[in-house]
């Protein structure tokens, strides 16, 4: 081995430990441990400001990465991890900001940091720092049991953003309900007494904010906040700058929607010019001014900056000042030398050094628009020609820099009117003629002249009439405007009529119409036409003679055109036209007349037409009358409709019949009604037929009928059915018998009523009054002053017993003998005389044999029956009171006793109620009269009860 080789090996062995030592030193990692960790909070912005210190190498800069963790509620609940890179050298304090979507008041937040060096070959994370809890000022650590807190307070957000709301409740966690503008919202529970909910895409409600509140019903606890929602700040649009005098730049823009709120008025704008480095805050939201320094820069680069509490926007422009010249608005604008057909516009512009102007002139009026460009200096003018008389116009002007055009100035102008001129066109006239009683009534119509031909306000119309039969007879009169017609009456119809329109300047050309004396051509047959929604298509045949034109008039009234008459003049070669009008309505009948105008200006009626733009169903059904009702048929009749009263042409009538039986009469067919029921129908397709006979019916059968008109559009309304019942087949024979009998009975009844008194006196005479009987004339008083009647002077005529049984007999009145005692003992078979005085007489009405004996000298006194002969039963004969005699002057009264009527009939003078009643079925024979008060005869007086007592002098009993 050579000495050189040995030296080399020795040197390498000596360097080997040194390299090993250097490798160990370089492989050790460089660590940066964060320390002094602090966390600050911003509750309004919901930010955590994390701050920590680093002890790095002092000789050089080291790039390091720091990892920050954020946890919520408890340290182990990490919700955010982020790496933060920074270059550190020596001792340095670093800051990092984190925004929380949850209000910081609602939950505890923790932070910690660790680091590593990016430049080291071996990168190791340092140990974590301790967790640091963020403290929120005025945060409720332990709310009371009756508290309910909602966060964040007075929060400002942009429209369309998301926001998280939370509430802290002392109790009743499950009973809390929250509402945003009255709409309930739901969230999730973060802790025992904390819940949160997120609002997505919030909308702007009002400038004063949206109301959000939470409540607990029992007990009533409410907490809430106001959420302020701002509109999104937009980027300025149409940003531009220009100058009017090279002293001031004016910048304008469109700011878009205003984002300011009453509580947050923070939308502001600023201009920044990059070449000069100057900045200016703008006083307005849509414009800003910038002062130009004399002899300064010609090129500008502006940046417009817009910002509010939530966002910033900016826009920039670059321009040459010489190309941004904006002239001021022209002034001293006047109209000069205005006449009926022309006028001149003049104006001035503020001068700009070394600049000429291009001005634009416009004229508007009565549908006319003109635009012209004029090059001028500071003064300009323009002449308007070919104007319409008496027309209002508006003229205006604006200017721009002619050399380097940038922008027009604002418009400025004047309104003016041209003067009036004489009307340039004759009025459009027409007439309606009617001959009445040898005279001619003419209604003259004319249309107002349009403004383009009136050339001013029409004051009146001159109407001149000329009689063609006796020329030169003419008349002239005026009709004040705005009349559109007048009525004329002529003795004869041959007249020429001239009409002119007059304004303050002159007279229009005359319109001429000739009224012919021959009205025979008015009788023309009317033709039906069918219109459409677009109008009516009319055509006609040209007449054989020469015509100078045609006139078509129309109206919606058939007679004398008493409506808003319309007409149109046509040329001689036109024989077809379409009439359209916005006034045409469905269901209205219109009438058209076509006239040919001769060379003499006379109108001859050529054709008449009528129709509807669209027919409708009839509006009403006719009133139907029933006649000629028989056992097998009846007739229907109805009136037609006035012309034009229906919304369509009546094509016919439907006769509906609803019989009780299911069969339809001949000529009818089954048909369905709108209500779904079936009936029989007969079609009358002739609208002129107004009668119909329903035949082949059954006697004594009921039928219901209805008549409905129809047009091409459908049937008229279906009203109620009318019921008809056919009579019996023999009822007319019975009527011929019954009617005369009824008439005869009525006649007899009337005659009997008129002769009722005579019938009563003849058939039913009055019963005579006993006190007015002729018997009383036989009783002559002994003295003139008193008249005492002695009942003993009354000789009974007869007593007849009726209803007696077999074996018992009573002698008739002809036997004239007294009854024996044995006969008296049968008390059930006799009628006994009441004790006391009585007057007995015959009723001459029933017994025509009147006594013929003369007057008696006296009447027998009261009789007394022998003891034991009269019945003593108290039920048969009452004990009469003491007999008293009274005179005829009123102290003595006679009581009429009927043998038929009951003595208890109610008469005040009747006998006592216990008097003997007559036996049933007794016949009226004799009548008696006696005093009201009867007394028992005195014992000393002789008395007897005769069986028969007569007034003609028969013998009394002894």
């Amino acid at each position: 081995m050579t000495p050189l080789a040995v030296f080399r090996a020795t040197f390498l062995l000596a360097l080997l430990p040194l390299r090993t030592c250097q490798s160990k030193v370089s492989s050790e990692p460089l660590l940066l441990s964060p320390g002094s960790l602090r966390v600050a909070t911003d509750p309004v912005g919901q930010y955590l400001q994390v701050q920590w210190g680093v002890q790095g190498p002092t000789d050089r800069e080291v790039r390091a990465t720091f990892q920050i963790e954020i946890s919520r509620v408890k340290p182990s609940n990490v919700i955010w991890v982020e790496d933060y890179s920074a270059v550190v050298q020596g001792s340095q304090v670093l800051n990092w900001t984190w925004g929380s979507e949850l209000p910081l008041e609602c939950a505890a937040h923790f932070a910690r940091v660790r680091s590593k060096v990016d430049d080291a070959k071996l990168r190791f994370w340092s140990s974590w720092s301790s967790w640091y809890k963020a403290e929120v000022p005025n945060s409720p650590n332990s709310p009371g049991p009756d508290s309910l807190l909602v966060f964040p307070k007075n929060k400002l957000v942009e429209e369309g953003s998301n926001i998280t709301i939370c509430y802290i409740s002392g109790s009743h966690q499950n009973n809390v309900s929250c509402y945003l503008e009255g709409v309930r919202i739901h969230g999730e529970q973060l802790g025992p007494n904390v819940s949160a909910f997120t609002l997505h895409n919030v909308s702007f409600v009002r400038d004063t904010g949206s109301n959000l509140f939470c409540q607990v019903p029992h007990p009533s606890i409410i907490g809430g906040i106001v959420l302020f929602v701002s509109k999104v700040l937009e980027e300025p649009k149409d940003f531009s700058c220009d100058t009017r005098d090279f002293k001031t730049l004016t910048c304008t823009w469109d700011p878009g929607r205003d984002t300011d709120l009453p509580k947050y008025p923070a939308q502001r704008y600023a201009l920044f010019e990059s070449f000069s480095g100057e900045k200016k805050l703008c006083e307005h939201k849509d414009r800003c001014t910038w002062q130009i320094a004399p002899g300064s820069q010609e090129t500008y680069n502006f940046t417009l900056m817009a910002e509010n509490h939530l966002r910033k926007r900016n826009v920039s422009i670059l321009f040459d000042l010489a190309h941004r010249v904006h002239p001021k608005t022209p002034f001293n604008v006047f109209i000069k030398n205005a006449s009926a057909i022309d006028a001149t516009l003049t104006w001035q512009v503020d001068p700009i050094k070394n600049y000429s102007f291009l001005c634009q002139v416009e004229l508007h009026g009565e549908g006319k628009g003109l635009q012209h460009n004029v090059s001028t200096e500071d003064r300009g003018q323009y002449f308007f020609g070919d104007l319409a008389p008496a027309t209002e116009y508006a003229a205006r002007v604006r200017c721009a820099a002619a050399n380097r055009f940038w922008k027009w100035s604002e418009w400025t102008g004047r309104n003016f009117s041209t003067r009036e001129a004489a009307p340039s066109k004759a009025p459009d006239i027409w007439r309606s003629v009617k001959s009445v009683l040898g005279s001619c009534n003419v209604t003259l119509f004319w249309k107002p002249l349009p403004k383009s031909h009136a050339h001013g306000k029409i004051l009146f119309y001159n109407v001149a009439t000329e009689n063609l039969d006796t020329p030169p007879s003419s008349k002239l009169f005026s009709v004040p405007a705005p009349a559109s017609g007048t009525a004329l009456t002529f003795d004869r119809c041959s007249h020429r009529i001239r009409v002119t329109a007059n304004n303050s300047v002159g007279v229009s050309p005359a319109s001429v119409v000739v009224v012919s004396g021959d009205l025979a051509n008015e009788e023309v047959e009317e033709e039906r036409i069918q219109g459409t929604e677009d109008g009516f298509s009319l055509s006609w045949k040209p007449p054989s003679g020469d015509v100078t034109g045609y006139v078509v008039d129309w109206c919606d009234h058939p007679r004398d055109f008493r409506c808003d008459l319309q007409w149109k003049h046509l040329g001689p070669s036109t024989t077809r036209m379409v009439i359209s009008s916005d006034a045409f309505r469905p269901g209205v009948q219109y009438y058209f007349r076509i006239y040919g105008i001769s060379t003499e200006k006379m109108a001859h009626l050529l054709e008449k037409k009528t129709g509807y733009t669209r027919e409708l169903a009839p509006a009403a059904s006719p009133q139907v009358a029933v006649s000629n009702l028989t056992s097998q048929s009846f007739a229907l009749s109805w009136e037609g409709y006035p012309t034009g009263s229906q919304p369509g042409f009546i094509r016919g009538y439907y006769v509906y019949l609803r019989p009780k039986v299911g069969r339809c009469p001949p000529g009818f067919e089954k048909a369905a009604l709108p209500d779904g029921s079936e009936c029989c129908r007969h079609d009358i397709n002739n609208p002129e037929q107004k009668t119909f006979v329903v035949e082949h019916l059954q006697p004594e059968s009921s039928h219901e009928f209805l008549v409905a008109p129809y047009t091409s559009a459908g049937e008229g309304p279906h009203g109620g059915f009318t019921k008809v019942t056919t009579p019996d087949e023999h009822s007319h024979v019975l009527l011929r018998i019954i009617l005369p009998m009824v008439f005869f009975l009525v006649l007899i009844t009337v005659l009997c009523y008129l002769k009722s008194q005579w019938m009563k006196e003849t058939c039913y005479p009055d019963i005579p009054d006993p006190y007015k009987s002729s018997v009383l004339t036989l009783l002559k008083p002994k003295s003139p002053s008193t008249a005492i009647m002695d009942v003993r002077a009354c000789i009974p005529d007869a007593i007849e017993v009726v209803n007696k049984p077999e074996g018992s007999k009573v002698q008739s009145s002809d036997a004239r003998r007294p009854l024996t005692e044995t006969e008296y003992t049968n008390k059930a078979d006799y009628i006994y005389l009441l004790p006391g005085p009585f007057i007995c007489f015959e009723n001459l009405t029933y017994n025509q044999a009147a006594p013929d004996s003369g007057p008696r000298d006296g009447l027998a006194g009261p009789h007394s029956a022998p003891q034991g002969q009269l019945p003593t039963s108290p039920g048969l004969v009452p004990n009469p009171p003491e007999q008293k005699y009274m005179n005829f002057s009123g102290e003595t009264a006679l009581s009429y006793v009927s043998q038929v009527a009951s003595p208890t009939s109610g008469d005040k003078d009747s006998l006592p109620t216990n008097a003997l009643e007559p036996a049933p079925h007794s016949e009226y024979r004799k009548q008696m009269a006696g005093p009201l008060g009867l007394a028992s005869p005195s014992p000393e007086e002789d008395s007897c009860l005769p069986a028969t007592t007569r007034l003609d002098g028969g013998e009394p009993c002894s």
Side-chain angles (χ1 to χ4, degrees):
M1 180 179 297
T2 62
L4 181 60
V6 174
F7 176 78
R8 182 179 296 176
T10 303
F11 180 75
L12 292 175
L13 291 174
L15 289 178
L16 182 59
L18 180 62
R19 291 182 59 85
T20 303
C21 180
Q22 290 180 353
S23 176
K24 290 180 179 180
V25 173
S26 62
S27 62
E28 292 181 0
L30 180 61
L31 299 178
L32 297 176
S33 298
S36 303
L37 180 63
R38 296 289 184 271
V39 180
T41 59
D42 179 9
V44 177
Q46 297 181 195
Y47 293 116
L48 289 181
Q49 188 75 27
V50 182
Q51 185 183 76
W52 68 92
V54 174
Q55 187 67 33
T58 58
D59 55 347
R60 59 188 177 91
E61 292 181 348
V62 176
R63 185 172 186 84
T65 298
F66 300 90
Q67 192 174 71
I68 305 102
E69 284 186 350
I70 304 295
S71 63
R72 179 176 292 163
V73 179
K74 55 185 178 180
S76 60
N77 184 27
V78 177
I79 62 172
W80 191 269
V81 178
E82 184 175 329
D83 292 343
Y84 172 71
S85 298
V87 177
V88 297
Q89 182 179 5
S91 297
Q92 190 173 348
V93 177
L94 299 177
N95 293 280
W96 177 78
T97 302
W98 175 76
S100 173
E101 77 283 357
L102 179 71
L104 301 178
E105 297 90 345
C106 293
H109 289 78
F110 303 87
R112 68 177 180 177
V113 182
R114 68 177 179 176
S115 64
K116 69 176 179 179
V117 178
D118 294 340
D119 294 340
K121 295 181 180 179
L122 298 177
R123 300 176 182 180
F124 297 96
W125 286 107
S126 67
S127 299
W128 285 102
S129 65
S130 300
W131 287 102
Y132 189 91
K133 182 179 180 180
E135 299 291 341
V136 180
N138 302 323
S139 176
N141 295 325
S142 58
D146 295 334
S147 63
L148 182 61
L149 304 176
V150 183
F151 297 99
K153 301 290 186 181
N154 301 325
K155 181 67 174 178
L156 174 66
V157 295
E158 271 188 341
E159 184 179 23
S161 62
N162 302 331
I163 181 174
T164 300
I165 309 294
C166 69
Y167 66 82
I168 304 175
S169 174
S171 61
H172 305 286
Q173 176 68 26
N174 297 329
N175 297 331
V176 179
S177 55
C178 298
Y179 300 88
L180 175 62
E181 290 295 327
V183 180
R184 186 169 182 176
I185 52 180
H186 303 276
E188 60 178 344
Q189 188 171 350
L190 301 180
N193 57 351
V194 179
S195 293
F197 40 85
T198 301
L199 304 178
H200 299 277
N201 193 21
V202 294
S203 59
F204 175 83
V205 178
R206 63 182 71 89
D207 291 341
T208 55
S210 303
N211 297 321
L212 188 149
F213 67 93
C214 299
Q215 64 178 4
V216 177
H218 301 292
S220 180
I221 304 174
I222 299 178
I225 62 171
V226 177
L227 181 63
F228 295 94
V229 181
S230 170
K231 295 180 180 179
V232 179
L233 179 66
E234 297 180 1
E235 183 180 281
K237 302 179 183 64
D238 302 329
F239 177 45
S240 67
C241 299
D242 53 46
T243 181
R244 292 176 179 264
D245 52 8
F246 283 96
K247 297 179 182 180
T248 304
L249 270 172
T250 301
C251 297
T252 59
W253 61 89
D254 178 12
R257 296 186 301 176
D258 189 6
T259 65
D260 277 352
L261 299 178
K263 192 175 179 62
Y264 299 96
Q267 185 175 344
R268 54 192 178 271
Y269 294 86
L271 275 179
F272 175 74
E273 206 284 310
S274 60
F275 293 139
S276 62
E278 295 182 6
K279 182 179 180 180
K280 181 182 179 181
L281 294 178
C282 300
E283 299 178 357
H284 305 280
K285 295 181 180 180
D286 59 350
R287 65 186 183 277
C288 196
T289 59
W290 187 278
Q291 296 298 323
I292 300 175
S296 63
Q297 64 194 68
E298 297 182 357
T299 303
Y300 291 84
N301 185 9
F302 280 110
T303 299
L304 176 64
M305 298 174 292
E307 64 177 332
N308 61 8
H309 285 285
L310 303 174
R311 191 182 293 270
K312 293 182 179 181
R313 303 279 192 181
N314 60 77
V315 62
S316 300
I317 58 171
L318 177 66
F319 61 88
D320 187 351
L321 182 62
H323 293 172
R324 295 299 178 100
V325 178
H326 184 196
K328 293 183 179 180
T329 305
F331 60 97
N332 289 341
V333 179
F334 297 104
I335 296 294
K336 297 182 178 180
N337 304 324
S339 66
I341 56 174
D342 54 44
T344 301
L345 176 68
T346 62
W347 67 91
Q348 282 185 263
V349 185
D350 283 337
I352 300 177
K353 185 178 181 181
N354 299 327
Y355 278 85
S356 60
F357 300 99
L358 176 66
C359 296
Q360 191 176 73
V361 178
E362 286 187 354
L363 180 68
H364 300 277
E366 294 298 327
K368 182 178 183 180
L370 300 176
Q371 187 178 83
H372 300 276
N373 293 333
V374 180
S375 296
T376 181
E377 298 297 330
D378 57 342
R379 294 177 180 271
Q381 68 176 14
Y382 187 80
F383 176 78
F384 298 111
D386 195 21
L387 302 180
T391 303
E392 293 184 356
Y393 290 96
R396 62 179 186 172
V397 60
R398 63 180 180 177
C399 298
N403 301 339
R404 298 173 181 176
F405 182 86
W406 159 242
K407 187 184 293 185
W408 291 106
S409 67
E410 291 76 16
W411 288 103
T412 183
R414 290 280 182 176
N415 295 336
F416 67 98
S417 299
T418 54
R419 297 181 180 181
E420 291 189 0
S424 61
K425 186 178 181 181
D428 186 359
I429 67 173
W430 189 234
R431 88 295 178 274
S432 176
V433 183
K434 185 177 181 181
S435 180
V436 179
L437 299 177
S439 62
C440 188
N441 294 337
V442 178
T443 303
L444 192 64
F445 305 93
W446 59 79
K447 296 179 181 179
L449 287 175
K451 294 187 66 175
S452 59
H453 298 294
H455 294 173
K457 182 179 179 181
I458 300 300
L459 303 178
F460 57 90
Y461 295 89
N462 283 332
V463 179
T465 62
E466 179 183 356
N467 193 334
L468 299 180
D469 295 334
T470 58
S473 175
S474 61
K475 295 180 181 179
L476 176 66
F477 59 94
S478 298
V479 178
S484 60
T486 186
L488 305 174
T489 302
F490 304 122
D491 293 337
R492 298 180 180 179
C493 285
S494 296
H495 280 76
R496 180 183 290 111
I497 304 173
R498 300 174 182 267
V499 180
T500 58
N502 298 259
N503 62 9
S504 60
V505 177
V507 181
S508 71
S511 291
V512 180
V513 63
V514 176
V515 179
S516 172
D518 184 14
L519 298 179
N521 56 44
E522 298 288 334
E523 300 299 330
V524 177
E525 184 177 356
E526 190 174 72
E527 177 188 355
R528 289 184 179 182
I529 59 175
Q530 181 62 48
T532 63
E533 294 182 355
D534 298 330
F536 294 90
S537 178
L538 304 179
S539 62
W540 58 92
K541 296 180 180 180
S544 57
D546 294 334
V547 293
T548 60
Y550 298 95
V551 174
V552 178
D553 62 11
W554 64 92
C555 186
D556 59 359
H557 196 281
R559 298 181 180 178
D560 302 332
F561 283 67
R562 296 190 301 268
C563 65
D564 184 17
L565 180 65
Q566 300 295 321
W567 68 92
K568 189 171 184 179
H569 290 271
L570 303 172
S573 60
T574 302
T575 58
R576 181 184 299 272
M577 70 172 300
V578 176
I579 299 178
S580 301
S581 174
D582 294 337
F584 287 157
R585 304 184 306 276
V588 177
Q589 187 173 0
Y590 294 94
Y591 303 84
F592 301 88
R593 296 184 296 191
I594 302 171
Y595 293 86
I597 308 301
S598 65
T599 55
E600 294 82 11
K601 300 294 184 179
M602 291 186 180
H604 300 276
L605 181 62
L606 302 179
E607 294 184 15
K608 289 183 180 180
K609 300 177 185 293
T610 181
Y612 297 82
T613 56
R614 180 163 58 91
E615 292 189 46
L616 303 178
S621 295
Q623 296 292 331
V624 183
V626 180
S627 60
N628 298 333
L629 180 62
T630 67
S631 60
Q632 295 183 349
S633 66
F634 58 87
L636 304 177
S637 61
W638 57 91
E639 297 292 333
Y641 297 99
T643 304
S645 63
Q646 292 300 309
F649 294 118
I650 301 298
R651 310 285 178 169
Y653 299 89
Y654 286 131
V655 179
Y656 289 94
L657 188 65
R658 186 184 288 167
K660 292 299 181 181
V661 295
R663 294 179 301 172
C664 291
F668 286 82
E669 60 182 7
K670 289 286 186 179
L673 294 176
D675 59 0
S677 61
E678 289 188 353
C679 64
C680 303
R681 185 179 71 180
H682 177 78
D683 183 9
I684 302 176
N685 54 16
N686 180 14
E688 301 301 325
Q689 180 179 339
K690 305 297 190 304
T691 60
F692 181 73
V693 178
V694 183
E695 298 177 318
H696 307 290
L697 306 177
Q698 295 295 328
E700 296 183 354
S701 59
S702 297
H703 305 270
E704 294 180 350
F705 70 88
L706 171 69
V707 177
Y710 63 88
T711 64
S712 61
E715 295 183 41
H718 286 188
F721 278 76
T722 303
K723 186 176 181 180
V724 174
T725 302
T726 56
D728 184 14
E729 209 169 4
H730 306 289
S731 58
H732 62 282
V733 179
L734 295 177
L735 290 177
R736 293 178 183 178
I737 298 174
I738 293 175
L739 288 178
M741 294 179 63
V742 171
F743 176 77
F744 180 74
L745 291 177
V746 171
L747 181 62
I748 294 297
T749 303
V750 172
L751 292 176
C752 290
Y753 176 78
L754 296 176
K755 297 296 183 176
S756 60
Q757 188 63 30
W758 177 82
M759 293 286 293
K760 180 179 179 183
E761 293 176 357
T762 302
C763 299
Y764 304 99
D766 293 336
I767 299 175
D769 189 348
Y771 295 104
K772 298 179 182 180
S773 176
S774 60
V775 175
L776 298 180
T777 60
L778 301 178
L779 304 177
K780 296 182 179 180
K782 295 181 181 181
S783 65
S785 60
T786 60
I788 300 175
M789 181 179 66
D790 189 357
V791 296
R792 288 177 295 181
C794 178
I795 302 174
D797 183 13
I799 292 178
E800 183 175 353
V801 178
V802 296
N803 197 24
K804 62 184 179 177
E806 288 277 336
S808 298
K809 290 187 179 257
V810 179
Q811 283 200 352
S812 64
S813 59
D814 296 335
R816 307 229 176 180
R817 65 177 182 85
L819 297 173
T820 63
E821 182 177 349
T822 305
E823 292 170 342
Y824 275 106
T825 58
N826 294 329
K827 58 185 179 180
D829 301 330
Y830 300 95
I831 297 177
Y832 300 100
L833 287 175
L834 295 175
F838 288 90
I839 295 176
C840 305
F841 59 92
E842 290 185 87
N843 188 341
L844 300 181
T845 302
Y846 300 96
N847 189 358
Q848 299 298 326
D852 54 356
S853 59
R856 302 285 188 252
D857 294 336
L859 293 175
H863 297 274
S864 61
Q867 190 172 1
Q869 291 182 353
L870 289 176
T872 60
S873 175
L876 297 175
V877 179
N879 294 326
E882 183 181 356
Q883 183 178 357
K884 294 182 181 181
Y885 297 93
M886 291 173 283
N887 57 21
F888 276 88
S889 62
E891 299 177 357
T892 301
L894 297 179
S895 178
Y896 173 76
V897 180
S898 173
Q899 292 181 349
V900 175
S902 171
T904 62
S905 60
D907 193 310
K908 66 180 179 177
D909 297 331
S910 62
L911 293 176
T913 58
N914 56 355
L916 186 64
E917 294 184 3
H921 311 292
S922 59
E923 299 178 1
Y924 188 89
R925 295 299 184 181
K926 300 296 187 289
Q927 298 180 2
M928 298 179 298
L932 293 175
L934 298 178
S936 299
S938 49
E940 65 271 8
E941 290 182 357
D942 297 331
S943 61
C944 70
L945 183 62
T948 303
T949 304
R950 297 181 58 89
L951 295 179
D952 55 355
E955 292 293 329
C957 62
S958 56

